[in-house]
Amino acid sequence: MAVAKKKTAQKKSVTKKAVAKKKTAKTKSAAKKTTKKETVKKTAKKKAVAKKAAAGKPAAKKKAAPKKKAPAKKAQAAKKSAMEVGAFTPYEEKRGEEYMNAEQIAHFRTILENWKRELLEEMERTVHHMQDEAANFPDPNDRASQESDFALELRTRDRERKLIKKIDESLQLLDTGDYGYCEVCGVEIGIRRLEARPTATLCIDCKTLDEIREKQSWG
């Protein structure tokens, strides 16, 4: 009986140990699974936080290349050339009125004087511009570009000086009463042609013949 009790006690002890081992194994397995899940969650959170931080950060700004000065040629092209006749109200001819009467003379005098004033103002602006912009650039390309721009402006101003001379001559013709007549054939040049080119001294026919002769001489 005593032996049987011992065996039973041993069996119970073994059973208890086996059950305890199973429970411990299950607990460890559950703990491992929980740990893995938590690790995965933490990793996912870290990645999400990193993505948000990256999205929130402003993109790294690239260093802007030093801006080169826009050439004066473009600035000149953007402005209306002073060599063109400024805005004015076209003269309205009345039926039967005399050619180059007092009203017409006053009309063309105003056009010529305003045009001359615009040219002189443009020449003065050019001088100031060249004085302000003159600089000794260390880069040979920049210096060459500036010299080219200044040379272009000087050529333009030279043409304008010649044009001012023609305007002065036209104003003198207005004073003598010879303005508006062709200097070759003596016919009327015409109001519309004079408004387009106030310094014109040839009628359209003589001007056309003059251009043909010029082409032939060059040919």
Side-chain angles (χ1 to χ4, degrees):
M1 290 291 288
V3 173
K5 282 181 181 179
K6 280 182 181 180
K7 285 182 178 179
T8 305
Q10 284 177 352
K11 281 181 182 179
K12 285 181 180 179
S13 177
V14 169
T15 305
K16 282 180 181 179
K17 285 179 180 179
V19 170
K21 280 182 181 179
K22 281 183 181 179
K23 283 183 178 178
T24 305
K26 281 182 180 179
T27 305
K28 285 181 178 179
S29 177
K32 281 181 181 178
K33 286 180 180 177
T34 305
T35 305
K36 281 183 180 179
K37 283 181 181 178
E38 286 177 356
T39 304
V40 170
K41 283 182 180 178
K42 284 179 182 178
T43 306
K45 280 182 179 179
K46 282 181 181 179
K47 286 182 179 179
V49 171
K51 281 182 181 178
K52 284 180 180 179
K57 279 183 182 180
K61 290 182 179 179
K62 291 183 180 179
K63 286 185 178 181
K67 289 183 180 179
K68 286 191 177 181
K69 207 167 191 183
K73 289 179 189 177
K74 289 183 181 178
Q76 276 190 335
K79 293 190 295 182
K80 184 181 176 182
S81 173
M83 294 181 74
E84 296 176 10
V85 184
F88 61 88
T89 305
Y91 183 82
E92 292 184 10
E93 293 182 74
K94 302 176 185 68
R95 179 180 280 185
E97 74 173 326
E98 185 184 354
Y99 181 69
M100 281 298 136
N101 57 34
E103 287 183 13
Q104 292 178 13
I105 288 172
H107 173 69
F108 286 109
R109 189 181 294 279
T110 302
I111 291 173
L112 288 163
E113 287 176 349
N114 288 343
W115 193 13
K116 181 181 177 180
R117 186 180 64 254
E118 288 173 9
L119 289 166
L120 290 170
E121 287 173 358
E122 187 62 29
M123 288 173 70
E124 190 177 350
R125 276 195 295 269
T126 301
V127 172
H128 290 311
H129 168 72
M130 292 178 72
Q131 288 173 345
D132 294 340
E133 296 296 321
N136 187 17
F137 292 109
D139 187 351
N141 292 327
D142 290 338
R143 284 201 303 273
S145 177
Q146 186 189 54
E147 287 170 8
S148 175
D149 294 338
F150 282 179
L152 178 66
E153 287 188 359
L154 288 171
R155 284 197 298 272
T156 304
R157 296 295 83 81
D158 187 53
R159 289 197 298 270
E160 288 175 351
R161 275 194 293 272
K162 290 175 181 175
L163 185 53
I164 288 171
K165 186 180 177 183
K166 286 186 177 181
I167 291 171
D168 287 335
E169 289 171 357
S170 297
L171 288 168
Q172 287 176 6
L173 290 173
L174 278 170
D175 292 336
T176 60
D178 296 322
Y179 182 80
Y181 297 93
C182 179
E183 64 181 14
V184 174
C185 65
V187 302
E188 298 173 1
I189 293 174
I191 300 295
R192 298 298 163 240
R193 173 163 164 72
L194 286 169
E195 284 182 336
R197 193 68 181 173
T199 56
T201 56
L202 298 174
C203 66
I204 193 65
D205 292 334
C206 290
K207 181 64 177 174
T208 304
L209 289 170
D210 188 54
E211 288 174 354
I212 292 169
R213 281 195 293 268
E214 190 176 346
K215 286 178 182 177
Q216 287 174 347
S217 64
W218 281 102

